[in-house]
Amino acid sequence: DYIGVKSWDSISFLDWETGTLVRRIEAVPTNVFWSENGDYVVISLEDSAYLLKCNKNLIKSAIAEGAEIPEEGIEEAFELISEIKDVIESGYWIKDCFVFVNKDAKLNYFIGSKITVIAKLPKKMLILGFIPIQNRLYLIDKALEIISFQLFETVLDYQSAVLNDDLELASKILPKVPERQVGKMAKFLETQGLKQLAYEITPDPDH
């Protein structure tokens, strides 16, 4: 829906159809990663990154109504959700989960404001993509060697629901989470202060 134009001191997002300035952000990104549904964007800088929510309905209304757009664009077009205090080398969205490789060749995923390490890679690699039916994430290096890691989509969905305070949705997703991953979900719940719920999904104190 939007195109990014980078200058020496900022990046401007323009509406694809009309060319209308949506928002100018005073930052010089090394990369920009949009979620598939266009609701979220990660702006990666040299030493950190920022997760923003795109207020698409507000933007569409402003353009449709012919509202006067300020020089810096629509003020509420983007909402800052969180800062990712890491240097992103490669990134990929899986629904509301952002998966990335950092400068230390660690493969991580980011939901809400929580970073989880998946693995330490043997070398610098780029993310190729994710195949849901296989629950596998694929990466490639400069020598075109491809490796993959198991990443359960239902686990990501469950954590996302919990972090969004939608425990009803989380309870519906839980039966789809592989049994061997339930203990990890219990530990995750404990980190969120939900010890009673953690005990309910698995009474094992060691998870």
Side-chain angles (χ1 to χ4, degrees):
D1 291 340
Y2 311 106
I3 182 171
V5 179
K6 187 170 72 170
S7 69
W8 68 275
D9 66 344
S10 65
I11 182 169
S12 298
F13 290 101
L14 311 177
D15 179 68
W16 180 266
E17 294 183 356
T18 65
T20 302
L21 174 65
V22 171
R23 187 65 177 160
R24 179 177 292 110
I25 299 174
E26 293 184 356
V28 183
T30 55
N31 216 328
V32 176
F33 305 93
W34 282 94
S35 63
E36 189 173 349
N37 59 14
D39 287 342
Y40 297 97
V41 60
V42 169
I43 297 180
S44 175
L45 308 178
E46 288 186 357
D47 56 358
S48 63
Y50 293 90
L51 169 63
L52 307 177
K53 182 177 181 180
C54 180
N55 296 318
K56 294 188 294 185
N57 291 335
L58 183 148
I59 295 169
K60 287 180 180 178
S61 296
I63 294 175
E65 294 170 3
E68 183 177 349
I69 307 296
E71 185 178 340
E72 296 300 314
I74 304 168
E75 184 176 356
E76 298 177 347
F78 294 95
E79 175 187 352
L80 176 62
I81 301 299
S82 185
E83 179 182 2
I84 304 175
K85 296 180 179 180
D86 211 338
V87 178
I88 297 174
E89 298 287 341
S90 177
Y92 187 85
W93 281 93
I94 303 174
K95 295 183 179 178
D96 291 343
C97 171
F98 183 64
V99 185
F100 67 95
V101 178
N102 68 9
K103 65 176 181 178
D104 299 319
K106 285 184 179 179
L107 179 64
N108 313 270
Y109 68 84
F110 181 83
I111 300 178
S113 59
K114 180 179 175 59
I115 294 178
T116 301
V117 178
I118 301 172
K120 177 71 170 72
L121 302 175
K123 62 188 87 171
K124 287 189 176 182
M125 307 193 79
L126 300 177
I127 301 173
L128 277 177
F130 177 74
I131 300 180
I133 196 171
Q134 297 178 353
N135 285 304
R136 299 202 75 85
L137 182 75
Y138 288 85
L139 300 95
I140 189 170
D141 65 10
K142 289 183 178 180
L144 304 183
E145 179 184 355
I146 296 175
I147 64 173
S148 68
F149 290 89
Q150 193 168 54
L151 191 60
F152 292 99
E153 192 172 15
T154 51
V155 167
L156 303 179
D157 291 341
Y158 183 81
Q159 292 182 329
S160 179
V162 171
L163 291 170
N164 287 323
D165 294 323
D166 194 341
L167 298 183
E168 182 178 352
L169 176 59
S171 67
K172 293 178 181 178
I173 297 172
L174 184 62
K176 302 176 185 178
V177 173
E179 186 175 351
R180 63 182 182 276
Q181 296 293 316
V182 173
K184 292 182 179 179
M185 293 305 92
K187 290 181 179 178
F188 164 74
L189 291 171
E190 288 186 346
T191 66
Q192 301 305 307
L194 300 169
K195 293 185 178 181
Q196 180 59 37
L197 184 56
Y199 180 79
E200 289 175 4
I201 69 171
T202 173
D204 182 359
D206 296 325
H207 306 315

